[in-house]
Amino acid sequence: MSTAHHGMTRRTLLAGATAVAATAVAGGGTAHASDSQVPTLWREFTRTPFTHPQIPYVGRAGAARIHRLPVVADVRAYGAVADGVTDCAPAINRAIAAAARAGGGTVTIPPGTFRIDGLILIGYDNVVLRGAGSGRTTLYATKNLTELIGPYGSRYGGTKSAWSWAGGLIWLAPKARWDSLTAAIRAQAWPFEGWTGNKRDAWEELTPLAPARQGDRTVTVTDPARLRPGRLVLLRVADDPAHTLLQHMSGGGPGPASYYWEDKTKLLSYVPYEWPVRIVAVRGRRVTLERPLPVDLRPEWNPLLTTHVRELTGSGVEGLTLDVMETPQSPHLLDKGYNGVVLQCAYDCWVDDVTVRNVDNGFGLVAASACTLRRTRVGGRGEHHPYFCREGSHDNLIEDFTIEERTVPAPSDTQLHGINVEGLSSYNVWSRGDMRMGTFDSHRGLPFANVRTDITVDNNGRHGGDANAGPLFGARFTHWNVRVTNGRAGLMRLDGLAPYSATVGLNTVTDFDQTDVPDFTGDLHSRLELYGTWDAVRPRNLYAAQRQLRSC
């Protein structure tokens, strides 16, 4: 389809692309600036930005904007004291509730260290919790989620603790959804965690959709009666008995067609694919969406627009450090829940200038979409997942992030991952990262169309994922301008692993003890350019360059 369909002309795209590349080269200042090159893949992408076979369009990833809401409460007025003795969690939660009653606004925490013996829940729209800066305001947490809520078992069975990949001591989630989740956990009725409730039955059909192509922004609906501009809806795409939807997410062709999907029970539990999106315009039966379609819509997949659990929107946490009482890291998959900040069933929310220390798991996106994590940092004694992105999280942006080197040696029975993505999560971006440990983790579950760009990594982690969760990668995974300081391959170079992928501007890497083989047979249709270099590729940051191509 033509790019003009999306509000821009091909001339505009090419002019923007040329300007971005030229600006990057002119900027210089790096060791490899004299070797700067614009790869063939970038020139191709600017001609077909919404439908390129290897590179996803992620120029709209992240929150629409980070709001500056007026101050409506100070936690000290509700009993918070920076004395290291008083449990300030109730006071902070009271201040957050007061901001919600006022219709939204900012809750401030002044400089100092505030002890919290409970978790902080931001469960209301347009409420921001703001400290004086990550170097000035500290919340000192003394308890874990097992103590505060109870043991959390895996819905897939076994003895694993789901606090190893869920929940935070600062938890951004709609209060009604959080109440239902924690009630299910206390009842040991282990829930699904996403947009359609604990049993995936909390939705109603709004309208069927006519066939459409991945990259379209305007779709045709059967009945527009319940649709309106500004409404957040859920695109629900089911699979068929031949699993052609999963094949499509893997790029299609003989390899995915011959893959044995039937025993991948964990992966199959993630289907239908659920993608929240806001409606921009309704003109008769033609509906324009905020973002391009992530997949094709075919009749055999019964594409629908549906309702979902009420989202959290317009909320954030800023300018503080969550310092957790230091305890030894738990054995692998037995985390107690000394977790950092998690966004769940959140849309257009954010975290900015926040550090977490001594956590089991750092920052999490669980069924979260269109959210931004900016200037975040994970440090301290070492952690299981510094960042996790799962349960169908889409269109999120993690930028200017740091994973510090651990301050104590890792216990022998623990595991370190890195920037994790799994469970049909798509169109997420990790940009401008400094990873002093960890890896580009996939926990299987067929994540697809994700981008990691402009990142330095000491690649000393290992990826995870059960065999019954299926492939490591779907199609259109891109690693762009990545420097691996220790030269270890381990999910850095994608051309031998991921179908229809792109690896551009990666220094030379070699295999180490965790060596993977491709999930799909035959030609992967993957691309490799400027291998053996770093910071030579222009544009140097794929996400930033794509934003220059955004339609108005």
Side-chain angles (χ1 to χ4, degrees):
M1 64 178 299
S2 71
T3 54
H5 179 76
H6 298 280
M8 62 178 97
T9 66
R10 182 167 295 177
R11 179 177 295 178
T12 300
L13 284 167
L14 291 173
T18 302
V20 168
T23 299
V25 173
T30 66
H32 302 281
S34 62
D35 301 323
S36 298
Q37 300 179 54
V38 179
T40 301
L41 272 165
W42 175 250
R43 300 184 191 279
E44 291 176 2
F45 177 82
T46 61
R47 293 193 290 270
T48 59
F50 303 102
T51 58
H52 192 276
Q54 281 88 16
I55 298 177
Y57 176 72
V58 293
R60 288 183 174 269
R65 63 190 180 93
I66 294 179
H67 308 282
R68 306 303 297 181
L69 300 177
V71 174
V72 296
D74 184 313
V75 297
R76 291 173 295 185
Y78 294 84
V81 182
D83 61 4
V85 177
T86 303
D87 174 15
C88 297
I92 295 170
N93 285 321
R94 286 194 296 267
I96 290 170
R101 290 192 298 272
T106 298
V107 174
T108 58
I109 311 177
T113 298
F114 296 80
R115 174 173 170 159
I116 57 170
D117 296 338
L119 65 85
I120 306 302
L121 174 64
I122 301 175
Y124 310 96
D125 293 347
N126 302 310
V127 172
V128 176
L129 181 66
R130 182 187 300 155
S134 60
R136 303 182 67 201
T137 296
T138 297
L139 302 183
Y140 179 68
T142 64
K143 294 187 178 179
N144 58 58
L145 294 169
T146 301
E147 295 174 277
L148 296 172
I149 297 172
Y152 188 2
S154 169
R155 67 175 183 255
Y156 302 106
T159 59
K160 301 172 184 176
S161 167
W163 297 128
S164 301
W165 57 78
L169 292 171
I170 300 177
W171 203 329
L172 289 83
K175 187 173 187 306
R177 185 71 182 105
W178 186 85
D179 287 343
S180 71
L181 282 165
T182 54
I185 293 166
R186 289 185 173 110
Q188 298 189 4
W190 313 131
F192 285 92
E193 300 156 282
W195 287 101
T196 49
N198 294 345
K199 298 182 180 179
R200 296 196 77 176
D201 58 359
W203 61 276
E204 299 176 9
E205 179 179 323
L206 293 172
T207 179
L209 290 160
R213 297 295 301 274
Q214 177 253 318
D216 290 353
R217 276 191 62 203
T218 299
V219 296
T220 300
V221 304
T222 301
D223 181 6
R226 298 175 65 184
L227 307 180
R228 56 173 174 77
R231 179 171 186 176
L232 189 72
V233 295
L234 200 67
L235 172 66
R236 192 174 193 270
V237 187
D239 205 359
D240 60 9
H243 300 299
T244 59
L245 174 63
L246 296 177
Q247 293 179 42
H248 170 61
M249 292 173 172
S250 304
S258 63
Y259 184 80
Y260 189 69
W261 301 96
E262 291 300 326
D263 64 345
K264 309 303 185 295
T265 53
K266 189 172 184 178
L267 170 62
L268 297 180
S269 76
Y270 299 142
V271 182
Y273 175 77
E274 295 173 340
W275 182 67
V277 65
R278 206 173 294 284
I279 293 173
V280 173
V282 180
R283 298 180 178 90
R285 294 173 53 217
R286 299 283 285 168
V287 176
T288 301
L289 306 174
E290 188 175 25
R291 289 176 169 82
L293 286 176
V295 294
D296 288 353
L297 305 183
R298 301 179 188 173
E300 58 266 34
W301 301 335
N302 190 30
L304 303 172
L305 294 182
T306 75
T307 65
H308 51 83
V309 299
R310 191 181 186 282
E311 72 275 10
L312 178 73
T313 188
S315 297
V317 57
E318 306 172 349
L320 57 83
T321 290
L322 176 67
D323 189 4
V324 177
M325 177 180 65
E326 186 169 352
T327 60
Q329 186 175 350
S330 296
H332 189 222
L333 298 175
L334 296 178
D335 295 351
K336 295 179 176 66
Y338 291 107
N339 294 348
V341 183
V342 165
L343 294 86
Q344 185 163 5
C345 295
Y347 192 93
D348 204 12
C349 294
W350 68 89
V351 179
D352 185 22
D353 183 27
V354 172
T355 295
V356 298
R357 297 183 55 80
N358 300 321
V359 291
D360 292 339
N361 302 281
F363 294 89
L365 297 158
V366 181
S369 292
C371 295
T372 293
L373 276 61
R374 186 174 71 179
R375 299 187 298 169
T376 56
R377 178 179 291 263
V378 184
R381 52 95 156 140
E383 58 282 330
H384 183 188
H385 297 98
Y387 292 82
F388 57 94
C389 177
R390 51 176 294 272
E391 199 75 15
S393 290
H394 315 292
D395 304 301
N396 298 294
L397 171 65
I398 301 93
E399 65 178 351
D400 299 311
F401 65 95
T402 301
I403 302 172
E404 296 179 0
E405 187 176 358
R406 65 189 309 136
T407 54
V408 297
S412 60
D413 53 357
T414 61
Q415 190 64 269
L416 166 66
H417 298 306
I419 51 175
N420 154 263
V421 61
E422 60 182 286
L424 299 185
S425 295
S426 61
Y427 296 86
N428 301 289
V429 178
W430 292 260
S431 170
R432 295 196 302 264
D434 178 9
M435 298 175 58
R436 301 168 197 172
M437 65 177 190
T439 193
F440 286 4
D441 178 34
S442 165
H443 262 49
R444 300 187 177 272
L446 199 68
F448 68 98
N450 296 284
V451 168
R452 284 106 168 213
T453 183
D454 199 4
I455 297 172
T456 298
V457 53
D458 187 39
N459 187 25
N460 58 6
R462 296 169 64 89
H463 75 75
D466 295 335
N468 65 356
L472 282 166
F473 303 103
R476 300 191 308 284
F477 241 89
T478 300
H479 290 173
W480 186 284
N481 194 22
V482 174
R483 180 189 181 207
V484 184
T485 57
N486 61 354
R488 288 184 167 184
L491 302 190
M492 299 291 129
R493 180 174 170 175
L494 297 174
D495 57 302
L497 287 176
Y500 287 92
S501 64
T503 307
V504 182
L506 171 73
N507 62 294
T508 303
V509 293
T510 56
D511 285 334
F512 68 115
D513 61 314
Q514 189 176 38
T515 303
D516 292 291
V517 297
D519 292 290
F520 303 109
T521 58
D523 188 353
L524 294 178
H525 300 280
S526 55
R527 302 278 293 275
L528 179 69
E529 280 199 72
L530 300 181
Y531 179 61
T533 71
W534 180 73
D535 211 33
V537 60
R538 293 297 183 268
R540 65 183 298 172
N541 187 294
L542 181 61
Y543 167 72
Q546 287 196 20
R547 283 189 63 84
Q548 298 295 318
L549 305 182
R550 279 185 59 168
S551 60
C552 298

